Amino acid sequence: MGIRSPRKTRRLITSAVAFVSLGALAVGAAVLTTDTLSSSDAEVELASTATCYDMVSIAIGGRGDTPSNSATKFLTTPDGKALPAALAGDFESDWIDQMVGAPNDAVKQGSYAAVYIDYPANLATYETAVDTGVQNAQTVMKAIVASCPKTRFAIVGYSEGADVTRRTAMEIGNQVADDNGKYGIVDPAQVVGVVILADAGREDGDNPFPGSKTGTNPDNFDTKYQNNASGPAGAGALPGTAGSFGALDGKVASFCSQKDLTCAMPQNTSLLHLAANVGRQLDVDAIQRDNTVTPATGADMAMVIGRIAGLAFMDIASQDNWLAGDETFLQVLIKVSEPGYTPPDPTTKVSAKTDTEEGTDPTEEPLPADKAVNLAYLPSKIVKEIVGLIGSNTDTVPVLMNDPYGQTLGPGSGAHFDYWRDADASNGRPLTSAQYAAAWLTQLAKDAEAGKPIKSAEVQQKALLVAQSATPAPTTTSAAPVASGASVQPVAPAAPAPLAAVPAAPAEVAPVAPVEGAPAPGLPVESVPAVVTETPAAPSTTEAPVTTSVAPTTTATPTP
């Protein structure tokens, strides 16, 4: 990857801040289909899914941090069809390598591999980019399982790749098996770990391990991430992408830095969430490239805003008594601005309900249309609009006045890069988020190599019930039957063996923060990171490897 000069980096940062000041908080990426993934370069040697591994990590980078079929040899199926992915080593990420590369020295060669997913990780049309990433990740996983049905998976993503990772994991975890017990993507039991760094779909106050028993570590790894189970206040900037991981609950690590607005946006910031939804539908690349809103990008913005306004009025018109309800116009705008929003059927009228109203009787006729415009409701509706606007934005002004985008994306200090430097041993966190993920992935790879059974809450619960239901038969003799004596208690299951020793705290190395030449990622995604010199230290010969990765840093003096 090339090195940006400070001048170019400053232009990118200025563009990002200028765009955010216009109110678009989230970003997008361009359309790319798998039809363009084949390479015509006869000299490119392709790896094949015919090579099986005990475990494969699916790595999903952020903005600009993905392989390209024009520069990287891609993975293929056994029959030579190119897949949208490259083996780690053929492609390198300054951000994700530190995690997915950690197991390599802890297991024998050929037991573990990591592959990077190709998708359009830019800022042109966000939803299309993320959807493409999800489709490509699933395509690669299905292709691997077709050749290697026993392979286990971890999924790891950062920034824009975190959104791809969340949605991929949610779709896998919430699948329903068919009549033959088969799944459309892969069996959720084969996904043993999910790592999400800067999770834009994180719900308010979520702890780092959603669905886990303790909240301090995933269910299949006994090392604590921190002493307490609490997570940062606030929620992800894209709450519409939130949801349960289903069967993968307890096997997910969602790391969030307190000041990273990608995943820790204060609660009462509804205008910022509206701006985020608008930004997901704009060509942010063009705005950032021009460092201003041009007639072309301005027209694009006007079309997006106009379409959202039209959908809002359609939604209101579908309700017979919207003026009598408690829903505000701002709430309608946020609802309809979600990229996945589906307009209501104009032929089906829906009665609005107030907070104090009981459920509407489905047998009742819709309210007459003349009551929907009853001006008697207008004064109270205006009051609700004002109160709702103020109440749902009590944190918006403080967020804007506190230079949040510099705190989140600032080079050398932005919280969006904290995951490689957030260790705090004095407060019970001896490892950075990236080091903890590396240790967890290493243990999962070692378990896969050893063929250890996959732990899951469902399997452990069934084993417990079987053990508790087992009762021995009474003892008898050849003479008259004699009761054996005291009743026998159910046999308790043996305590599981510990997975691994707790990783030692990293060596006393001062964290290297991204410097002025480092890129400023677009919220909630980052731009291409600069080349680094530091690489993760090889694990020690003890069972639990010690990771000593540091924050990425630039190497050479940039040229103008």
Side-chain angles (χ1 to χ4, degrees):
M1 287 175 281
I3 301 174
R4 285 195 175 95
S5 68
R7 182 167 52 188
K8 178 180 277 188
T9 300
R10 282 194 294 269
R11 285 201 301 268
L12 290 175
I13 296 169
T14 303
S15 300
V17 174
F19 171 69
V20 169
S21 68
L22 292 172
L25 192 59
V27 289
V31 179
L32 181 68
T33 64
T34 53
D35 293 337
T36 64
L37 295 173
S38 60
S39 174
S40 60
D41 187 353
E43 297 180 357
V44 175
E45 179 185 357
L46 303 179
S48 172
T49 57
T51 302
C52 293
Y53 300 89
D54 297 315
M55 176 172 151
V56 173
S57 286
I58 303 297
I60 308 172
R63 183 186 181 192
D65 194 23
T66 58
S68 167
N69 66 324
S70 63
T72 310
K73 55 183 179 182
F74 269 17
L75 195 67
T76 71
T77 60
D79 60 3
K81 179 182 178 181
L83 293 168
L87 279 171
D90 295 331
F91 176 80
E92 297 179 352
S93 165
D94 293 336
W95 307 102
I96 300 180
D97 271 359
Q98 299 179 40
M99 293 171 286
V100 300
N104 286 324
D105 294 329
V107 297
K108 65 184 180 182
Q109 187 175 3
S111 175
Y112 171 81
V115 296
Y116 280 93
I117 300 299
D118 173 45
Y119 75 104
N122 56 39
L123 310 181
T125 51
Y126 185 84
E127 288 302 306
T128 301
V130 172
D131 287 344
T132 302
V134 172
Q135 294 168 12
N136 288 355
Q138 294 177 359
T139 296
V140 172
M141 294 175 74
K142 287 189 285 188
I144 292 174
V145 168
S147 299
C148 312
K150 295 184 178 180
T151 293
R152 303 179 187 184
F153 294 97
I155 312 173
V156 183
Y158 169 50
S159 199
E160 185 173 5
D163 197 356
V164 176
T165 298
R166 164 175 275 278
R167 300 192 202 190
T168 301
M170 286 173 59
E171 289 191 13
I172 291 174
N174 288 288
Q175 294 176 100
V176 176
D178 62 20
D179 294 338
N180 298 317
K182 302 295 184 181
Y183 293 90
I185 309 171
V186 297
D187 188 336
Q190 290 180 259
V191 179
V192 292
V194 178
V195 177
I196 310 175
L197 299 163
D199 184 358
R202 175 178 172 270
E203 295 191 47
D204 187 37
D206 268 359
N207 70 58
F209 306 101
S212 69
K213 296 176 183 177
T214 64
T216 60
N217 50 275
D219 289 343
N220 49 14
F221 188 51
D222 294 336
T223 301
K224 288 184 177 181
Y225 169 66
Q226 58 189 18
N227 288 341
N228 59 74
S230 63
L238 307 180
T241 64
S244 168
F245 292 100
L248 298 187
D249 275 346
K251 298 192 285 186
V252 177
S254 174
F255 299 117
C256 178
S257 174
Q258 178 63 71
K259 295 181 179 180
D260 187 350
L261 293 183
T262 304
C263 55
M265 181 74 72
Q267 188 174 28
N268 296 314
T269 52
S270 59
L271 284 174
L272 295 182
H273 286 299
L274 175 60
N277 287 346
V278 173
R280 292 158 72 185
Q281 302 174 58
L282 295 175
D283 186 352
V284 181
D285 275 340
I287 297 175
Q288 191 174 50
R289 181 181 61 248
D290 299 329
N291 202 18
T292 187
V293 177
T294 65
T297 53
D300 182 36
M301 186 179 298
M303 289 183 62
V304 170
I305 294 174
R307 182 172 65 251
I308 291 172
L311 289 173
F313 287 116
M314 286 176 58
D315 186 87
I316 291 172
S318 70
Q319 303 180 46
D320 279 317
N321 56 342
W322 183 80
L323 283 175
D326 294 308
E327 186 180 44
T328 67
F329 188 62
L330 179 57
Q331 290 173 327
V332 175
L333 288 173
I334 293 173
K335 176 174 63 178
V336 304
S337 63
E338 284 286 342
Y341 170 77
T342 302
D345 184 348
T347 63
T348 303
K349 294 291 184 179
V350 179
S351 296
K353 294 187 295 182
T354 66
D355 292 338
T356 58
E357 220 176 324
E358 296 294 331
T360 303
D361 185 350
T363 63
E364 291 180 357
E365 292 293 329
L367 291 174
D370 58 339
K371 290 187 178 181
V373 292
N374 191 338
L375 295 181
Y377 293 118
L378 187 58
S380 63
K381 192 67 173 180
I382 292 175
V383 172
K384 290 177 182 178
E385 291 287 340
I386 296 173
V387 172
L389 177 64
I390 296 174
S392 65
N393 284 282
T394 54
D395 294 320
T396 297
V397 173
V399 165
L400 294 174
M401 294 295 291
N402 200 30
D403 188 25
Y405 311 112
Q407 290 183 8
T408 294
L409 305 174
S413 61
H416 200 57
F417 308 101
D418 276 350
Y419 309 97
W420 289 265
R421 61 188 180 201
D422 58 357
D424 188 359
S426 62
N427 289 316
R429 186 187 293 177
L431 301 176
T432 68
S433 299
Q435 287 172 336
Y436 186 90
W440 183 30
L441 294 175
T442 298
Q443 184 61 57
L444 291 175
K446 291 168 69 175
D447 289 347
E449 180 186 40
K452 290 185 178 180
I454 298 174
K455 288 186 177 182
S456 71
E458 181 181 3
V459 170
Q460 293 184 52
Q461 181 64 23
K462 287 181 178 178
L464 180 63
L465 292 175
V466 169
Q468 290 178 339
S469 63
T471 55
T475 303
T476 61
T477 65
S478 57
V482 179
S484 61
S487 60
V488 180
Q489 298 298 320
V491 178
L499 292 177
V502 176
E508 296 273 340
V509 178
V512 181
V515 295
E516 172 64 20
L523 187 59
V525 298
E526 81 297 344
S527 54
V528 182
V531 178
V532 299
T533 54
E534 279 78 2
T535 57
S540 65
T541 55
T542 60
E543 180 163 350
V546 179
T547 54
T548 57
S549 56
V550 295
T553 182
T554 52
T555 57
T557 301
T559 56

